[in-house]
Amino acid sequence: MGIIQRIALVLTIIGAINWGLIGFFRFDLVGAIFGGQSAFLSRVIFGLVGISGLACITLLFAPIGATVQNVNRQGQRNLNYSTEFGEETDLSKLKEE
C-alpha cells in the first residue's frame, strides 16, 4: 500500500468516525473543530475525505493478500512457491536402495 493510499485510508476513517458521531450523537466533530459546516476549512476537509473515499475504491479491487513485499520495484509480483512445511525430502534416494 503506497503512501497516498495510506493517507486516503486515514482520511476515510476520519470521515467514517465523523459520520458515526453525526448519526449517533448529532455532533459534527469536523465542523466543530474548523468553524461549522459552511466554513471554508471544513468544506476543504469534507472534500478531501470524499476524494479519499474515491481513492480507497482501488483497495476494494486489490487482490486478497497482495502486499508491498510481494511486488518488486518494476511492479511485478514475486511469487513464492515454497510449502508451509519447508524443504521437501528427496524420496528418489529411497528407490535406489
Side-chain angles (χ1 to χ4, degrees):
M1 183 182 306
I3 190 73
I4 299 293
Q5 286 181 327
R6 287 186 189 270
I7 293 170
L9 188 59
V10 168
L11 286 172
T12 304
I13 291 170
I14 290 169
I17 291 170
N18 192 50
W19 274 108
L21 289 172
I22 291 170
F24 289 120
F25 305 112
R26 294 184 183 184
F27 178 70
D28 182 6
L29 181 63
V30 173
I33 292 173
F34 296 108
Q37 288 183 346
S38 61
F40 176 75
L41 198 53
S42 292
R43 291 178 48 216
V44 169
I45 299 296
F46 290 138
L48 288 174
V49 169
I51 292 170
S52 298
L54 293 175
C56 286
I57 290 175
T58 60
L59 297 175
L60 182 64
F61 297 108
I64 296 174
T67 60
V68 175
Q69 291 83 16
N70 290 336
V71 180
N72 63 19
R73 292 188 187 271
Q74 287 80 24
Q76 299 170 343
R77 296 191 67 191
N78 297 327
L79 300 178
N80 184 0
Y81 292 110
S82 64
T83 62
E84 62 185 89
F85 302 110
E87 295 293 322
E88 294 183 17
T89 55
D90 187 12
L91 299 177
S92 64
K93 294 179 182 177
L94 292 175
K95 288 184 178 181
E96 294 174 2
E97 295 177 0

